Amino acid sequence: MSRHITKLWNKDFSLLMIVQVIALFANSIITFVLPLYILQISGSPALFGTVLALASVPIILMSPIGGVLADRNKRQRIMLWMDISTTAVILIFIAASGITGVLVPIIIIKLIALNIIQGIYMPAAMSAVRFLVPEDKLLPANAAVNMVFSLSNAVGPVVGTILFANFGIMPILTIGVIIFAICAVIDLFIRIPFTKKKKTESIISLVKTDLARCARFGIKEKPAIGKLTLIIFLYSIPTIAMVFVAFPILITQTLEMSEVFLGLSQGIMMGGGLLGGILAGTLGKRFPINKAHIILLLCSLLTFPMGLVFMLEASTAAAYVVVTLSGTIISLSTQIVLIQILAYVQLETPVALVGKVVAFVMALAIAAYPLGQFLFGLLLDILTDIPWVALYISAIMSSIIAGWSIKHFEKMK
């Protein structure tokens, strides 16, 4: 570190946190509302699931490249240009929306562009923390950053749906332009220490080398980690990804409730995920990794009540409560398991590989989302009149995967 830093909330870290708060909050609102807008104007669950799937791919692909860029370029400059790019993308979308009536392709392109930018931006912003605070303050600094991320995901959908229901899409995007322009201005005043490294390989070569090394470690040197990654990938398809795509469809179309109720439900579920992270951190010893399959089985079983209320045609209020409650517990429980897995990976991986292997595990976990979102969006479109069948399929698939995981989790300590 090129300068002496003595306190946590110094000028540069405080500015970074201000940018993170307003940028993540705005991004959470926009990326939640745009797919919802497509569902509103098209009425197609299949298209909704496909859009969610397509929008997730750029983050998965660009995050490793963003990490390499962050290590070899000025992070402040990356953040500045990404905020400028986000402002430009939203402005172009607003202009294009006024010129043409073909909105769906434009929205898809905009979401993909925003997530490409996000995939490059987040590694730069997250890795900047270690250069802006004292070493003994890294834990609370990272906790603050993660708290902002979790809260933005919890509160953003609620605020977004309320704004969307009352004012429509364009005022939200206009405010977004102003917010990201402000972020770009703040970026100019952040000073992040940087030591220029000699360039020996291209970014693509570096990413390929890192991925190959991580895969070799997880498959040959430490196969338990490879199996854990496979478990979380397979389980995420019928469970986490299904929840992301099914809930907006079930609440706004099947139950015919307003976007405000959808936002409230999403916010409660995200809050459950946040609580799961807190519980895993404070009561970690009560959730050993060799018992994680029990939590996965619980999540699988919680999908059955959701299917049951739709099969029995329960009242709208009862169905809404069951769906929201089940989704919240699933979100809480899967967050605990994910943190268990990440802790195990960190302990079992050599120091030189920790960052790369953790990023690899997370990337593969996220890679399950587009596949699950596409499949269950298509399934709910086909089974419009009997959505409970899709929920039961999800429950059966996740139960099978959770059952298969038992022999792997029980071997771990």
Side-chain angles (χ1 to χ4, degrees):
M1 196 172 291
S2 60
R3 55 182 174 157
H4 185 62
I5 301 172
T6 59
K7 60 181 182 178
L8 173 60
W9 292 100
N10 57 76
K11 177 183 77 72
D12 294 311
F13 180 68
S14 298
L15 288 175
L16 177 70
M17 289 302 296
I18 291 170
V19 168
Q20 289 294 286
V21 168
I22 58 179
L24 287 173
F25 187 64
N27 191 71
S28 174
I29 291 175
I30 292 171
T31 54
F32 179 78
V33 167
L34 282 174
L36 190 61
Y37 183 47
I38 285 182
L39 180 62
Q40 184 190 71
I41 62 178
S42 69
S44 170
L47 181 59
F48 177 67
T50 302
V51 169
L52 286 176
L54 288 173
S56 302
V57 172
I59 291 182
I60 299 166
L61 297 178
M62 295 307 298
S63 290
I65 296 176
V68 174
L69 285 171
D71 282 340
R72 295 182 173 272
N73 296 273
K74 291 183 178 180
R75 292 171 177 83
Q76 177 265 350
R77 190 174 295 174
I78 294 173
M79 293 166 59
L80 171 64
W81 282 108
M82 291 305 101
D83 282 331
I84 291 173
S85 299
T86 303
T87 306
V89 166
I90 300 174
L91 280 172
I92 292 169
F93 173 79
I94 292 173
S97 300
I99 296 172
T100 177
V102 187
L103 288 178
V104 171
I106 297 174
I107 295 173
I108 294 172
I109 293 170
K110 179 183 183 299
L111 276 169
I112 291 173
L114 286 177
N115 283 337
I116 288 173
I117 293 169
Q118 192 72 358
I120 297 172
Y121 178 91
M122 286 307 296
M126 296 292 285
S127 63
V129 174
R130 67 170 296 186
F131 299 98
L132 298 180
V133 301
E135 288 187 7
D136 62 340
K137 302 293 184 183
L138 274 175
L139 189 59
N142 279 298
V145 173
N146 288 329
M147 186 68 72
V148 168
F149 183 77
S150 298
L151 286 175
S152 66
N153 282 333
V155 179
V158 180
V159 175
T161 46
I162 292 172
L163 292 174
F164 180 63
N166 288 281
F167 304 105
I169 192 72
M170 286 305 167
I172 295 174
L173 296 178
T174 303
I175 294 172
V177 169
I178 298 169
I179 287 175
F180 284 105
I182 292 172
C183 288
V185 173
I186 296 174
D187 290 335
L188 293 170
F189 297 94
I190 302 175
R191 294 293 175 263
I192 304 170
F194 172 71
T195 303
K196 190 172 183 179
K197 297 178 181 178
K198 186 178 179 181
K199 187 175 181 181
T200 56
E201 296 181 74
S202 68
I203 291 172
I204 301 300
S205 296
L206 286 168
V207 172
K208 285 171 61 178
T209 301
D210 286 349
L211 289 177
R213 191 177 180 190
C214 290
R216 184 168 61 252
F217 176 78
I219 295 172
K220 294 184 177 181
E221 299 175 32
K222 197 70 178 180
I225 290 178
K227 289 172 183 175
L228 277 179
T229 306
L230 180 61
I231 289 168
I232 201 68
F233 172 80
L234 293 174
Y235 194 82
S236 294
I237 294 173
T239 310
I240 302 174
M242 182 279 298
V243 166
F244 282 153
V245 73
F247 277 42
I249 295 167
L250 293 174
I251 292 174
T252 62
Q253 292 195 348
T254 307
L255 297 179
E256 298 182 342
M257 301 180 79
S258 74
E259 287 84 1
V260 174
F261 286 98
L262 171 61
L264 178 62
S265 178
Q266 294 281 342
I268 292 171
M269 284 191 295
M270 293 295 182
L274 179 61
L275 178 59
I278 295 171
L279 290 175
T282 56
L283 304 173
K285 292 182 179 179
R286 299 190 180 185
F287 302 108
I289 186 71
N290 60 355
K291 302 295 183 183
H293 58 276
I294 297 174
I295 299 177
L296 294 185
L297 283 169
L298 170 65
C299 293
S300 303
L301 294 175
L302 283 170
T303 313
F304 283 102
M306 291 194 286
L308 190 63
V309 293
F310 288 102
M311 184 178 73
L312 298 178
E313 298 183 353
S315 68
T316 298
Y320 179 77
V321 170
V322 169
V323 166
T324 302
L325 183 60
S326 297
T328 301
I329 299 174
I330 289 173
S331 180
L332 184 153
S333 304
T334 51
Q335 187 67 18
I336 291 174
V337 173
L338 183 58
I339 290 173
Q340 286 177 318
I341 290 174
L342 288 177
Y344 178 85
V345 170
Q346 289 173 347
L347 288 172
E348 296 295 320
T349 304
V351 173
L353 286 177
V354 168
K356 297 180 180 68
V357 172
V358 168
F360 186 68
V361 171
M362 290 300 296
L364 281 180
I366 296 172
Y369 297 175
L371 180 58
Q373 288 163 345
F374 172 75
L375 291 175
F376 280 94
L378 186 62
L379 199 58
L380 285 166
D381 197 25
I382 296 171
L383 304 171
T384 303
D385 297 325
I386 46 174
W388 53 270
V389 175
L391 293 170
Y392 282 158
I393 290 173
S394 168
I396 292 168
M397 287 176 62
S398 59
S399 297
I400 292 171
I401 296 165
W404 171 73
S405 75
I406 293 175
K407 62 181 180 180
H408 300 298
F409 280 119
E410 288 185 337
K411 294 177 183 178
M412 298 171 187
K413 295 182 180 180

